[in-house]
Structures are given as C-alpha cells and as structure tokens.
C-alpha cells in the first residue's frame, strides 16, 4: 500500500524511474502481443488450409487403398506394404518468429519410385501404385500439418503469456506505482507547506524580537536624554 512507502524525494525518484521503465516495458509488450497475434492469424489461416488438405488427401488415399484391396486382394496389398525397406526420415530444426522458437520439420524418403518401394514391378499393379502414391502424399501433408499445428500452439501460448504480462503491468504494477507516486508527492507538498509555515513563524518571531530590542534601545536612549547625569 502507498502508506508503507516513506515519503522521501529519493523514493519518489526511484518510483518515477520504475514508472518510466514499466511504461516502456508495457508499450514493448503490447507491440509484441499485437505482432504475435498477426503472425498467429497467418499461421491459423495456413493451419485451416492444411487441415482441409489432410482431410481431402486422406479421403483420396482411403478410396485408393479400398480399390486396391478390392481389385488385388488384401494379401497383395499387405505384401506390398511389408516389402518396404527404407522408411521415411524426419528431422526437426527450429525457426524464430518474433522471439518464439517453433519447429521446422523436414522429411526425406517419403516419395519413392516403384523400384524404391521394394515390391518390384512383378509384385506391383496400377491400383497398388496409386494407393502408395496417395499415402505418400498424405504423409507429406501430415508432416506439414504437424509443423503448422505445433507452431500455432506455441504462438498461442506465447500470446497468452504476453497478454498476462501486459495486464499485470497495466492493471496491477503501474496503478500501484502511480498511487505511491501521488502519495509521496502529496506528503512532500504537505511537508513543504509545513516548512514554509515554520520558517514564516521563525521569521515573524525574529522580527518581533528585533523590533522589541529596537524599541527597548530607543526607550533607553530617551530616558538617558531626559535624565542626564549631574555634573560634579
């Protein structure tokens, strides 16, 4: 509370410094929050597009695999899947978006030629190849979706954290500092008025004493003139 602060000029200067620092921090955090929200909206639009792509690609892949099973048999499809020797590889790096570190996922060996799929030309069919193509496409979309979704969650977390800091400064710290500043300024003004009043009293008392001394000296001189000492 403000009454717990000693009303001294040193404390007033310290509070004014804290207010200046807090106001600049508040402005900086507001700019960061607004920038993060703009970036988040861009990522959100991208995420919505990616989700739509994943959903459509999944439906396509499901139709392709169902067709392959119907035409070639479930055993042939499972055999082609089991023949895969090189599995996709995923590496993660990071990038910085307005101070927020988000993942950047890169994949390799997702897209394969018929030879690279392991089942060879003799064990293949157009239906199985189409299903494999569709699922490779789906896997690429899923990897991109994972990157975008993770970035979106990290951005949202940082936005919430920044908003809490802005609110803490705006509604808690700065109002308390303003209150302390006003309290100290009022107390210092009161002390200044009391000091001026005290100095005026001292001055008036001194002037009264000097006047009394002057009057006493004048009366003494007058008495000496009226009653001179007798000559010998």
């Amino acid at each position: 509370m403000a009454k717990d602060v000693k009303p001294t000029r040193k404390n007033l200067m310290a509070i004014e410094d804290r207010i200046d620092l807090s106001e600049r921090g508040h402005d900086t955090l507001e700019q960061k929050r607004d920038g993060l929200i703009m970036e988040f909206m861009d990522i959100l639009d991208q995420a919505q597009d990616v989700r739509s792509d994943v959903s459509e690609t999944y439906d396509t892949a499901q139709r392709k695999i169902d067709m392959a099973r119907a035409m070639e048999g479930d055993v042939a499809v499972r055999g082609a899947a089991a023949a895969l020797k090189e599995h996709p590889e995923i590496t993660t790096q990071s990038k910085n978006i307005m101070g927020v570190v988000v993942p950047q996922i890169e994949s390799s060996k997702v897209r394969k030629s018929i030879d690279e799929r392991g089942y060879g030309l003799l064990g293949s069919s157009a239906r199985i190849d189409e299903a494999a193509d569709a699922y490779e496409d789906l896997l690429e979309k899923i990897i991109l979706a994972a990157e975008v979704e993770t970035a979106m969650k990290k951005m949202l977390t940082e936005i919430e954290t920044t908003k809490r800091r802005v609110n803490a400064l705006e509604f808690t710290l700065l109002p308390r500092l303003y209150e302390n500043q006003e309290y100290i300024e009022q107390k210092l003004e009161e002390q200044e008025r009391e000091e001026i009043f005290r100095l005026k009293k001292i001055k008036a008392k001194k002037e009264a004493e000097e006047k009394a001394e002057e009057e006493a000296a004048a009366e003494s001189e007058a008495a000496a003139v009226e009653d001179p000492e007798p000559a010998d």
Side-chain angles (χ1 to χ4, degrees), residues 70-210:
M71 299 296 293
E72 306 297 333
D74 193 59
V75 174
V77 172
R78 288 179 179 274
L84 183 66
K85 295 180 180 179
E86 289 189 352
H87 295 279
E89 296 179 357
I90 295 175
T91 58
T92 58
Q93 297 180 347
S94 61
K95 58 183 178 180
N96 192 303
I97 301 178
M98 296 207 56
V100 182
V101 178
V102 298
Q104 190 170 19
I105 303 175
E106 295 184 0
S107 60
S108 60
K109 300 181 181 179
V110 175
R111 293 282 184 180
K112 295 180 175 65
S113 66
I114 294 176
D115 294 335
E116 292 171 334
R117 287 173 183 162
Y119 49 71
L121 292 174
L122 295 177
S124 174
S125 71
R127 300 297 181 184
I128 292 177
D129 290 340
E130 289 176 359
D133 288 338
Y135 270 92
E136 287 171 355
D137 189 22
L138 176 60
L139 181 56
E140 287 183 337
K141 293 292 196 316
I142 290 173
I143 292 171
L144 177 59
E147 177 181 322
V148 173
E149 293 281 346
T150 305
M152 187 173 65
K153 290 179 180 178
K154 284 184 172 290
M155 293 290 289
L156 185 59
T157 299
E158 187 65 20
I159 288 171
E160 292 299 324
T161 300
T162 305
K163 284 173 63 178
R164 286 196 296 271
R165 290 174 179 171
V166 170
N167 291 338
L169 286 170
E170 185 173 348
F171 300 111
T172 303
L173 180 60
L174 281 170
R176 185 167 68 245
L177 291 175
Y178 292 144
E179 181 184 2
N180 290 341
Q181 181 188 35
E182 184 178 2
Y183 170 76
I184 293 177
E185 288 175 344
Q186 289 177 349
K187 286 296 182 181
L188 290 177
E189 288 175 0
E190 290 177 6
Q191 292 174 7
E192 188 175 352
R193 287 195 297 269
E194 290 173 358
E195 182 66 15
I196 292 173
F197 179 73
R198 187 180 68 83
L199 291 174
K200 285 183 177 180
K201 286 188 65 176
I202 292 174
K203 183 179 179 181
K205 182 179 179 181
K206 185 175 181 181
E207 289 176 347
E209 290 175 350
E210 290 176 351

